[in-house]
Amino acid sequence: MLIMEKGTEAKVADIRPTANPISEAIPTTQPKDKATTQPQTANAQAKPSKKIASIFTLPIDNARQVIKPISKGFFSFRGLRPQQLRRRLLALSFALMVFLPSLLGTAYFLVIASDRYSSTIGFSVRGMDGTSAGGDFLGALTGLASVGTTTTDSYILMSYLEGREVVERLSEDEGIRKHFSKDSIDFIYRLDPAAPIEDFVSYWGSLITTSFDNTSSIIEVEVQAFTPEMTERIASRVLSYSAGLVNSLSKDARKDAVKFAEEEVLRAELSLKMTRMRMKNFRNNESSIDPTRNAEVQIELIAGLEKKLLETRSRLATLIGTIDESSPTIRQLRKQEEVLATQIIGKRDEISGKAPALDTSPGISVNDRLSSLSSLLADYEELVLEQEFAQQAYTISLAGLERSRAEADRQQRYLAVFNPPSKPQQAIYPRRLINSLILFLGLVAVWALAIVMTYSIRDHLK
């Protein structure tokens, strides 16, 4: 039996390939000690080709330990030390978060992105008195709009240029929706022809840039398009819309400033007309154009009557004692004195308002007579006072209207253009190299922040 086993071993040895030092050094039945195993492992790691060749001569367990790392390579995480595992994960995350997106972004900017042309216009909103938004010292320091300056109009104008009305007007006048929807434009900047107006306004906001300098009150507007001709036409339309808006704001402000003064003039004019109508009705009802003049006449008549009465009484006093009381002269003077006294009393009654008894014609009562002169004078003077007040109010309102118009003219706004639209000759967008570099640096910053947060969370969990 021993001879047969030896013969069998000899035959098997003849079938095996050329002897390998490693296979001869490793026993098939008894394991080696630690001192002998460690040099062989170091030798196997130093010479991979010999290690692969000796796979067939190793036991099954040792062969599996050699085949698994070779089959998985870089993506194998088993059997790695913690430090090696972390390094491999960092490299993999850098490739996925930084390298691959940067490669795709650079390919887009350098190959796919469409050329965009730019045209810049510059202007300032100014007033007729030469003031502008920059003339407000407080607004220049704080950057806030102040009432009474053109700063508010400037900000209104910038918001208007980025709004829906400008987009709709440009679509009607220049057909920008069709221009921005061309197939030659790259897929990122191409506008969907069926996009709603809200998306169109947002898209337009990415192609127009407005800036305002509080110190110099200068507004700069940059417009982008995909052809030089369309860029110039859009910029010209934007400038035209801006001038129209400023003129409209100026007109509305002027109308608002004059509106109150015009309303005051209308109220004063209506009051004056009503007062004059009451004066006319008074004169028609009392048959007296000027009761003051009538009073003066009455006073003159009373003064004349009193003078005659005084003369009559003087003559009567002179004749009494000289001639008989029953003489015709005395009786005539007595009669004249009585008539003069009655007339004086009647005139005074007319002035004081007492019912006169001068006219005793049948069919005419005291109530049918004219009102007393004192009542006429009181009513007349009240009407005269109201008329004078209404006249003065009307005059003052007219003066206020003229001042409001002059002030509104001084506050009128206009657009002072110093940089008109021009046709671009070279596309300055997109900035291909700069955008690629910015994309790479941004991804690196995000990746580094994520790594720092990950290590921080790991340290807190320990």
Side-chain angles (χ1 to χ4, degrees):
M1 294 296 294
L2 293 173
I3 295 172
M4 292 178 64
E5 290 177 358
K6 291 180 179 181
T8 305
E9 290 178 358
K11 293 179 181 180
V12 174
D14 295 337
I15 297 172
R16 291 176 182 177
T18 307
N20 193 311
I22 298 176
S23 62
E24 294 177 356
I26 298 175
T28 57
T29 57
Q30 297 180 357
K32 286 182 174 290
D33 55 356
K34 295 182 179 179
T36 308
T37 305
Q38 291 179 355
Q40 289 178 355
T41 305
N43 189 16
Q45 292 179 356
K47 297 180 180 180
S49 60
K50 293 182 179 180
K51 186 176 182 179
I52 296 172
S54 63
I55 290 175
F56 299 97
T57 63
L58 291 175
I60 297 174
D61 295 337
N62 294 335
R64 289 178 179 177
Q65 294 178 359
V66 176
I67 293 173
K68 287 182 179 180
I70 296 175
S71 61
K72 293 186 178 180
F74 178 79
F75 297 98
S76 175
F77 298 101
R78 294 182 180 181
L80 294 177
R81 296 178 181 178
Q83 185 176 6
Q84 295 176 345
L85 179 62
R86 287 195 297 270
R87 291 177 180 176
R88 188 164 297 183
L89 289 175
L90 286 176
L92 183 60
S93 63
F94 183 84
L96 295 178
M97 295 180 62
V98 179
F99 181 74
L100 184 59
S102 298
L103 183 62
L104 296 177
T106 303
Y108 167 76
F109 286 121
L110 297 179
V111 180
I112 303 175
S114 302
D115 292 336
R116 301 197 308 273
Y117 298 86
S118 172
S119 178
T120 302
I121 54 179
F123 51 84
S124 175
V125 180
R126 304 186 64 83
M128 296 299 294
D129 54 356
T131 60
S132 62
D136 182 19
F137 181 73
L138 182 61
L141 291 178
T142 61
L144 300 177
S146 58
V147 180
T149 66
T150 57
T151 305
T152 305
D153 296 339
S154 299
Y155 282 106
I156 291 174
L157 178 58
M158 290 190 296
S159 299
Y160 169 78
L161 294 179
E162 297 177 359
R164 175 172 177 172
E165 183 176 352
V166 172
V167 173
E168 292 177 346
R169 295 181 65 179
L170 286 174
S171 298
E172 295 177 359
D173 298 337
E174 298 296 339
I176 60 173
R177 179 184 285 271
K178 182 178 180 181
H179 172 73
F180 294 143
S181 303
K182 291 182 178 179
D183 296 334
S184 58
I185 302 174
D186 64 85
F187 64 94
I188 293 181
Y189 269 89
R190 187 187 306 125
L191 176 67
D192 185 5
I197 187 63
E198 290 79 10
D199 295 344
F200 194 11
V201 172
S202 178
Y203 177 84
W204 168 250
S206 63
L207 296 179
I208 183 172
T209 304
T210 59
S211 61
F212 176 68
D213 187 0
N214 283 315
T215 304
S216 60
S217 71
I218 291 177
I219 301 176
E220 290 188 351
V221 181
E222 183 185 20
V223 179
Q224 300 179 28
F226 296 95
T227 60
E229 295 78 10
M230 180 58 71
T231 304
E232 183 182 13
R233 288 161 54 188
I234 292 177
S236 300
R237 289 289 185 180
V238 167
L239 182 60
S240 176
Y241 298 159
S242 302
L245 178 64
V246 171
N247 294 334
S248 177
L249 292 175
S250 178
K251 183 179 179 181
D252 293 341
R254 186 176 186 276
K255 184 184 296 184
D256 293 338
V258 178
K259 182 179 180 180
F260 179 76
E262 291 179 344
E263 291 177 353
E264 289 295 326
V265 170
L266 292 177
R267 282 196 293 266
E269 184 179 1
L270 180 60
S271 177
L272 180 60
K273 287 181 178 180
M274 293 178 64
T275 304
R276 287 179 176 178
M277 184 62 66
R278 291 175 60 188
M279 180 68 74
K280 179 181 178 181
N281 295 332
F282 172 82
R283 288 171 176 173
N284 292 334
N285 294 332
E286 300 298 336
S287 299
S288 175
I289 297 177
D290 191 355
T292 304
R293 183 61 182 169
N294 294 340
E296 292 177 357
V297 172
Q298 293 292 338
I299 292 173
E300 290 177 358
L301 290 176
I302 292 174
L305 293 175
E306 289 179 348
K307 183 179 180 182
K308 289 182 180 180
L309 179 61
L310 181 60
E311 292 176 354
T312 301
R313 287 179 177 177
S314 298
R315 290 178 61 188
L316 185 60
T318 303
L319 292 178
I320 292 174
T322 304
I323 59 176
D324 188 8
E325 203 48 57
S326 61
S327 64
T329 305
I330 296 296
R331 286 185 297 185
Q332 184 179 2
L333 290 175
R334 294 285 185 186
K335 184 66 176 177
Q336 186 176 359
E337 180 185 8
E338 182 180 357
V339 170
L340 290 173
T342 304
Q343 290 179 348
I344 291 173
I345 293 172
K347 293 299 181 181
R348 288 178 178 175
D349 290 340
E350 291 181 4
I351 295 176
S352 62
K354 295 181 179 180
L358 297 178
D359 193 355
T360 59
S361 301
I364 300 178
S365 62
V366 176
N367 295 331
D368 295 333
R369 297 179 181 277
L370 300 178
S371 302
S372 63
L373 186 58
S374 60
S375 300
L376 291 177
L377 285 175
D379 295 340
Y380 181 74
E381 288 175 356
E382 183 179 357
L383 290 175
V384 170
L385 183 61
E386 291 181 1
Q387 184 174 0
E388 291 178 354
F389 179 77
Q391 184 68 41
Q392 291 179 0
Y394 181 69
T395 303
I396 293 174
S397 62
L398 285 177
L401 177 60
E402 293 301 324
R403 287 194 300 270
S404 298
R405 287 176 177 174
E407 185 68 20
D409 291 338
R410 286 195 298 269
Q411 294 181 357
Q412 188 173 359
R413 307 287 191 257
Y414 68 94
L415 209 65
V417 182
F418 67 91
N419 187 14
S422 59
K423 182 178 179 180
Q425 296 182 354
Q426 184 179 2
I428 62 175
Y429 296 105
R431 295 183 173 93
R432 305 180 187 276
L433 296 178
I434 295 178
N435 290 340
S436 301
L437 180 60
I438 292 175
L439 177 61
F440 175 75
L441 295 178
L443 292 174
V444 169
V446 173
W447 173 79
L449 180 61
I451 294 301
V452 171
M453 292 178 63
T454 302
Y455 274 86
S456 177
I457 293 173
R458 189 199 67 175
D459 293 339
H460 282 80
L461 292 178
K462 286 182 178 180

